[in-house]
Amino acid sequence: MNSIINKNKHKLLNAVSGALLCMSMCAVTPVFSQEYIEIEPLFEYISAPEELATLDEKSNYLVEHFWDKMDFKTKTTVDQTALNHAFKVYTTTIRFAEKNKATASVNKLLENLSKNPTLLLQFTKAAEENIYGPRADVWIDEVYIKFLQTLIKNKKIPQARKDKYEKQLSMLESSIVGNKAPQFKFENSNGTEASYFPMTTPTILIFGDPANTDWRIARLRMETNTALNQAVEKGKINILFILPDFQEGWKDEVANYPQRWTVGCADKLGENLDIRAKSSIYFASVWFVDSEGKIALKNTPLEEVIVRALDSVN
């Protein structure tokens, strides 16, 4: 949960509590007219005591006490927009708190929610919006999986409400960082059926669209990266480019890809693997599988994956 580290922490000492204080006064959200409307917060957001000097101390306090004023016994639904906003602020505290403090906070929150299926479903929607979906500022799979598991186990929530979340959980659990990379089948660019399975050779997996302009630019940069090309030529690194969904004419699109790359097309691969890509940030879902066949990086910018791959063989 602390995978996102800001190297200039001293600049953020007051950012977390300051933002919370500001947001406690009024929460706003944009509408399509580009105007802003005021949203009444669910409760007054807390701020960290002034005597807490460091970002860690402030974040630990905030993550521990953030939901203190939330009424978990209410039997009615709450304003989902206001809850989404509150969860967004809570996400900031999770990101900068110590992992054990953040974990304890999430566990306590889910314990309270397990007794209230109505709120549990609403909180899971808020978690989906803020730490899983395409509009999320950050993806925190470890936390979101906890919400999914708690919701799915709750016997008071109808199965029809659980179906989507069961699919998400299955996909995430098959693609957890630190676990063995999952195997999958695909059609090779030469028309034969092939299978990917983790090997001892570090592998860059790219799930993308060959027609995407940003990807085309990135591919040219990869092909002119001398260190990467040498590592691939010597068999030290493998590169796989896979279309996660079938497209007419895809073989023509990849006809000029480097011969040392493995290029292919699967169908509906995103139903089984976590290959989310934020269209506003990434042009593809990029993984790095290490020499032990484990997912070391997932849904990470390509440049970061290349550096990690080269470091692993040097």
Side-chain angles (χ1 to χ4, degrees), residues 83-109:
L83 178 57
N84 289 351
H85 186 273
F87 202 97
K88 182 181 182 68
V89 180
Y90 177 60
T91 299
T92 302
T93 70
I94 291 177
R95 291 170 63 182
F96 295 107
E98 295 174 10
K99 184 172 182 178
N100 64 322
K101 297 291 186 180
T103 299
S105 172
V106 172
N107 290 342
K108 180 181 178 181
L109 173 60

mmCIF file of all heavy atoms in Angstrom, residues 83-109:
data_model
loop_
_atom_site.group_PDB
_atom_site.id
_atom_site.type_symbol
_atom_site.label_atom_id
_atom_site.label_comp_id
_atom_site.label_asym_id
_atom_site.label_seq_id
_atom_site.Cartn_x
_atom_site.Cartn_y
_atom_site.Cartn_z
ATOM 1 N N LEU A 83 -19.897 10.116 -0.360
ATOM 2 C CA LEU A 83 -19.076 8.990 0.117
ATOM 3 C C LEU A 83 -17.861 8.805 -0.776
ATOM 4 O O LEU A 83 -16.750 8.545 -0.284
ATOM 5 C CB LEU A 83 -19.919 7.714 0.153
ATOM 6 C CG LEU A 83 -19.187 6.443 0.583
ATOM 7 C CD1 LEU A 83 -18.564 6.601 1.959
ATOM 8 C CD2 LEU A 83 -20.139 5.247 0.567
ATOM 9 N N ASN A 84 -18.040 8.918 -2.074
ATOM 10 C CA ASN A 84 -16.898 8.805 -2.991
ATOM 11 C C ASN A 84 -15.840 9.853 -2.656
ATOM 12 O O ASN A 84 -14.633 9.582 -2.701
ATOM 13 C CB ASN A 84 -17.362 8.994 -4.434
ATOM 14 C CG ASN A 84 -18.169 7.825 -4.958
ATOM 15 O OD1 ASN A 84 -18.253 6.775 -4.312
ATOM 16 N ND2 ASN A 84 -18.776 7.990 -6.118
ATOM 17 N N HIS A 85 -16.313 11.059 -2.340
ATOM 18 C CA HIS A 85 -15.380 12.129 -2.004
ATOM 19 C C HIS A 85 -14.628 11.820 -0.714
ATOM 20 O O HIS A 85 -13.411 11.981 -0.625
ATOM 21 C CB HIS A 85 -16.128 13.450 -1.869
ATOM 22 C CG HIS A 85 -15.226 14.619 -1.659
ATOM 23 N ND1 HIS A 85 -14.803 15.005 -0.399
ATOM 24 C CD2 HIS A 85 -14.644 15.476 -2.528
ATOM 25 C CE1 HIS A 85 -14.005 16.052 -0.517
ATOM 26 N NE2 HIS A 85 -13.895 16.360 -1.791
ATOM 27 N N ALA A 86 -15.363 11.346 0.304
ATOM 28 C CA ALA A 86 -14.732 10.993 1.570
ATOM 29 C C ALA A 86 -13.699 9.886 1.371
ATOM 30 O O ALA A 86 -12.593 9.938 1.930
ATOM 31 C CB ALA A 86 -15.788 10.558 2.582
ATOM 32 N N PHE A 87 -14.037 8.909 0.567
ATOM 33 C CA PHE A 87 -13.113 7.798 0.340
ATOM 34 C C PHE A 87 -11.879 8.269 -0.426
ATOM 35 O O PHE A 87 -10.774 7.759 -0.215
ATOM 36 C CB PHE A 87 -13.809 6.666 -0.423
ATOM 37 C CG PHE A 87 -13.147 5.334 -0.234
ATOM 38 C CD1 PHE A 87 -13.626 4.436 0.708
ATOM 39 C CD2 PHE A 87 -12.032 4.967 -0.982
ATOM 40 C CE1 PHE A 87 -13.010 3.200 0.899
ATOM 41 C CE2 PHE A 87 -11.412 3.750 -0.798
ATOM 42 C CZ PHE A 87 -11.901 2.864 0.144
ATOM 43 N N LYS A 88 -12.056 9.233 -1.302
ATOM 44 C CA LYS A 88 -10.917 9.774 -2.035
ATOM 45 C C LYS A 88 -9.920 10.415 -1.069
ATOM 46 O O LYS A 88 -8.705 10.231 -1.206
ATOM 47 C CB LYS A 88 -11.401 10.812 -3.049
ATOM 48 C CG LYS A 88 -10.307 11.423 -3.922
ATOM 49 C CD LYS A 88 -10.900 12.457 -4.862
ATOM 50 C CE LYS A 88 -9.843 13.046 -5.784
ATOM 51 N NZ LYS A 88 -9.343 12.065 -6.762
ATOM 52 N N VAL A 89 -10.436 11.156 -0.098
ATOM 53 C CA VAL A 89 -9.562 11.762 0.898
ATOM 54 C C VAL A 89 -8.905 10.686 1.757
ATOM 55 O O VAL A 89 -7.717 10.746 2.061
ATOM 56 C CB VAL A 89 -10.360 12.754 1.778
ATOM 57 C CG1 VAL A 89 -9.444 13.396 2.814
ATOM 58 C CG2 VAL A 89 -11.009 13.825 0.917
ATOM 59 N N TYR A 90 -9.687 9.680 2.132
ATOM 60 C CA TYR A 90 -9.162 8.554 2.922
ATOM 61 C C TYR A 90 -8.034 7.848 2.173
ATOM 62 O O TYR A 90 -7.039 7.428 2.782
ATOM 63 C CB TYR A 90 -10.301 7.594 3.212
ATOM 64 C CG TYR A 90 -9.914 6.339 3.972
ATOM 65 C CD1 TYR A 90 -9.340 6.417 5.239
ATOM 66 C CD2 TYR A 90 -10.163 5.083 3.427
ATOM 67 C CE1 TYR A 90 -9.011 5.265 5.941
ATOM 68 C CE2 TYR A 90 -9.849 3.934 4.120
ATOM 69 C CZ TYR A 90 -9.267 4.018 5.377
ATOM 70 O OH TYR A 90 -8.949 2.874 6.066
ATOM 71 N N THR A 91 -8.178 7.740 0.866
ATOM 72 C CA THR A 91 -7.148 7.094 0.056
ATOM 73 C C THR A 91 -5.803 7.795 0.205
ATOM 74 O O THR A 91 -4.747 7.151 0.220
ATOM 75 C CB THR A 91 -7.569 7.076 -1.429
ATOM 76 O OG1 THR A 91 -8.787 6.330 -1.564
ATOM 77 C CG2 THR A 91 -6.497 6.457 -2.299
ATOM 78 N N THR A 92 -5.822 9.120 0.328
ATOM 79 C CA THR A 92 -4.581 9.861 0.523
ATOM 80 C C THR A 92 -3.891 9.437 1.809
ATOM 81 O O THR A 92 -2.670 9.262 1.852
ATOM 82 C CB THR A 92 -4.863 11.370 0.556
ATOM 83 O OG1 THR A 92 -5.493 11.762 -0.661
ATOM 84 C CG2 THR A 92 -3.568 12.162 0.720
ATOM 85 N N THR A 93 -4.663 9.251 2.869
ATOM 86 C CA THR A 93 -4.062 8.837 4.137
ATOM 87 C C THR A 93 -3.486 7.428 4.033
ATOM 88 O O THR A 93 -2.446 7.131 4.614
ATOM 89 C CB THR A 93 -5.093 8.897 5.285
ATOM 90 O OG1 THR A 93 -6.070 7.869 5.133
ATOM 91 C CG2 THR A 93 -5.788 10.246 5.317
ATOM 92 N N ILE A 94 -4.159 6.556 3.297
ATOM 93 C CA ILE A 94 -3.658 5.189 3.111
ATOM 94 C C ILE A 94 -2.310 5.209 2.411
ATOM 95 O O ILE A 94 -1.381 4.476 2.779
ATOM 96 C CB ILE A 94 -4.666 4.352 2.294
ATOM 97 C CG1 ILE A 94 -5.934 4.089 3.097
ATOM 98 C CG2 ILE A 94 -4.039 3.032 1.855
ATOM 99 C CD1 ILE A 94 -6.992 3.335 2.334
ATOM 100 N N ARG A 95 -2.187 6.048 1.418
ATOM 101 C CA ARG A 95 -0.965 6.072 0.607
ATOM 102 C C ARG A 95 0.259 6.494 1.395
ATOM 103 O O ARG A 95 1.373 6.029 1.110
ATOM 104 C CB ARG A 95 -1.162 7.011 -0.582
ATOM 105 C CG ARG A 95 -2.160 6.507 -1.606
ATOM 106 C CD ARG A 95 -2.492 7.575 -2.633
ATOM 107 N NE ARG A 95 -1.334 7.963 -3.415
ATOM 108 C CZ ARG A 95 -1.361 8.905 -4.353
ATOM 109 N NH1 ARG A 95 -2.481 9.558 -4.585
ATOM 110 N NH2 ARG A 95 -0.274 9.197 -5.039
ATOM 111 N N PHE A 96 0.081 7.368 2.382
ATOM 112 C CA PHE A 96 1.239 7.921 3.075
ATOM 113 C C PHE A 96 1.406 7.429 4.509
ATOM 114 O O PHE A 96 2.390 7.759 5.158
ATOM 115 C CB PHE A 96 1.171 9.449 3.044
ATOM 116 C CG PHE A 96 1.291 10.008 1.658
ATOM 117 C CD1 PHE A 96 0.186 10.539 1.017
ATOM 118 C CD2 PHE A 96 2.494 9.963 0.976
ATOM 119 C CE1 PHE A 96 0.285 11.038 -0.285
ATOM 120 C CE2 PHE A 96 2.602 10.452 -0.312
ATOM 121 C CZ PHE A 96 1.499 10.989 -0.947
ATOM 122 N N ALA A 97 0.468 6.643 4.996
ATOM 123 C CA ALA A 97 0.602 6.071 6.335
ATOM 124 C C ALA A 97 1.505 4.840 6.286
ATOM 125 O O ALA A 97 1.736 4.253 5.227
ATOM 126 C CB ALA A 97 -0.775 5.690 6.883
ATOM 127 N N GLU A 98 2.019 4.456 7.450
ATOM 128 C CA GLU A 98 2.785 3.222 7.541
ATOM 129 C C GLU A 98 1.866 2.053 7.196
ATOM 130 O O GLU A 98 0.674 2.066 7.509
ATOM 131 C CB GLU A 98 3.352 3.056 8.943
ATOM 132 C CG GLU A 98 4.378 4.121 9.318
ATOM 133 C CD GLU A 98 4.825 4.017 10.761
ATOM 134 O OE1 GLU A 98 4.479 3.006 11.422
ATOM 135 O OE2 GLU A 98 5.502 4.942 11.240
ATOM 136 N N LYS A 99 2.432 1.027 6.588
ATOM 137 C CA LYS A 99 1.600 -0.061 6.075
ATOM 138 C C LYS A 99 0.791 -0.733 7.173
ATOM 139 O O LYS A 99 -0.386 -1.041 6.984
ATOM 140 C CB LYS A 99 2.461 -1.096 5.356
ATOM 141 C CG LYS A 99 1.644 -2.207 4.713
ATOM 142 C CD LYS A 99 2.479 -3.120 3.853
ATOM 143 C CE LYS A 99 1.615 -4.174 3.190
ATOM 144 N NZ LYS A 99 2.391 -5.074 2.300
ATOM 145 N N ASN A 100 1.401 -0.985 8.331
ATOM 146 C CA ASN A 100 0.663 -1.662 9.394
ATOM 147 C C ASN A 100 -0.496 -0.813 9.897
ATOM 148 O O ASN A 100 -1.564 -1.329 10.250
ATOM 149 C CB ASN A 100 1.606 -2.041 10.540
ATOM 150 C CG ASN A 100 2.208 -0.829 11.229
ATOM 151 O OD1 ASN A 100 2.539 0.169 10.583
ATOM 152 N ND2 ASN A 100 2.365 -0.899 12.529
ATOM 153 N N LYS A 101 -0.305 0.520 9.933
ATOM 154 C CA LYS A 101 -1.375 1.418 10.358
ATOM 155 C C LYS A 101 -2.501 1.442 9.323
ATOM 156 O O LYS A 101 -3.689 1.420 9.671
ATOM 157 C CB LYS A 101 -0.826 2.827 10.564
ATOM 158 C CG LYS A 101 0.219 2.955 11.656
ATOM 159 C CD LYS A 101 -0.381 2.757 13.029
ATOM 160 C CE LYS A 101 0.650 3.043 14.122
ATOM 161 N NZ LYS A 101 0.088 2.853 15.477
ATOM 162 N N ALA A 102 -2.122 1.496 8.053
ATOM 163 C CA ALA A 102 -3.124 1.507 6.995
ATOM 164 C C ALA A 102 -3.912 0.203 6.968
ATOM 165 O O ALA A 102 -5.141 0.191 6.815
ATOM 166 C CB ALA A 102 -2.460 1.755 5.650
ATOM 167 N N THR A 103 -3.203 -0.907 7.131
ATOM 168 C CA THR A 103 -3.869 -2.207 7.131
ATOM 169 C C THR A 103 -4.850 -2.314 8.287
ATOM 170 O O THR A 103 -5.986 -2.780 8.115
ATOM 171 C CB THR A 103 -2.831 -3.336 7.227
ATOM 172 O OG1 THR A 103 -1.956 -3.274 6.097
ATOM 173 C CG2 THR A 103 -3.507 -4.696 7.258
ATOM 174 N N ALA A 104 -4.421 -1.875 9.467
ATOM 175 C CA ALA A 104 -5.302 -1.922 10.640
ATOM 176 C C ALA A 104 -6.539 -1.054 10.419
ATOM 177 O O ALA A 104 -7.652 -1.429 10.805
ATOM 178 C CB ALA A 104 -4.543 -1.469 11.885
ATOM 179 N N SER A 105 -6.358 0.104 9.798
ATOM 180 C CA SER A 105 -7.473 1.002 9.534
ATOM 181 C C SER A 105 -8.481 0.372 8.575
ATOM 182 O O SER A 105 -9.694 0.416 8.810
ATOM 183 C CB SER A 105 -6.954 2.317 8.955
ATOM 184 O OG SER A 105 -8.029 3.136 8.527
ATOM 185 N N VAL A 106 -7.982 -0.214 7.497
ATOM 186 C CA VAL A 106 -8.868 -0.852 6.520
ATOM 187 C C VAL A 106 -9.606 -2.023 7.157
ATOM 188 O O VAL A 106 -10.820 -2.205 6.951
ATOM 189 C CB VAL A 106 -8.071 -1.316 5.289
ATOM 190 C CG1 VAL A 106 -8.950 -2.144 4.355
ATOM 191 C CG2 VAL A 106 -7.510 -0.113 4.537
ATOM 192 N N ASN A 107 -8.911 -2.827 7.940
ATOM 193 C CA ASN A 107 -9.548 -3.968 8.598
ATOM 194 C C ASN A 107 -10.649 -3.520 9.559
ATOM 195 O O ASN A 107 -11.718 -4.137 9.630
ATOM 196 C CB ASN A 107 -8.505 -4.798 9.339
ATOM 197 C CG ASN A 107 -7.562 -5.538 8.401
ATOM 198 O OD1 ASN A 107 -7.874 -5.713 7.225
ATOM 199 N ND2 ASN A 107 -6.434 -5.970 8.902
ATOM 200 N N LYS A 108 -10.380 -2.454 10.311
ATOM 201 C CA LYS A 108 -11.385 -1.927 11.241
ATOM 202 C C LYS A 108 -12.593 -1.398 10.475
ATOM 203 O O LYS A 108 -13.752 -1.615 10.874
ATOM 204 C CB LYS A 108 -10.772 -0.812 12.091
ATOM 205 C CG LYS A 108 -11.743 -0.196 13.091
ATOM 206 C CD LYS A 108 -11.071 0.924 13.878
ATOM 207 C CE LYS A 108 -12.042 1.592 14.846
ATOM 208 N NZ LYS A 108 -11.382 2.706 15.597
ATOM 209 N N LEU A 109 -12.336 -0.698 9.377
ATOM 210 C CA LEU A 109 -13.423 -0.178 8.551
ATOM 211 C C LEU A 109 -14.294 -1.312 8.023
ATOM 212 O O LEU A 109 -15.533 -1.260 8.088
ATOM 213 C CB LEU A 109 -12.848 0.630 7.386
ATOM 214 C CG LEU A 109 -13.837 1.115 6.322
ATOM 215 C CD1 LEU A 109 -14.894 2.024 6.938
ATOM 216 C CD2 LEU A 109 -13.088 1.842 5.204
#
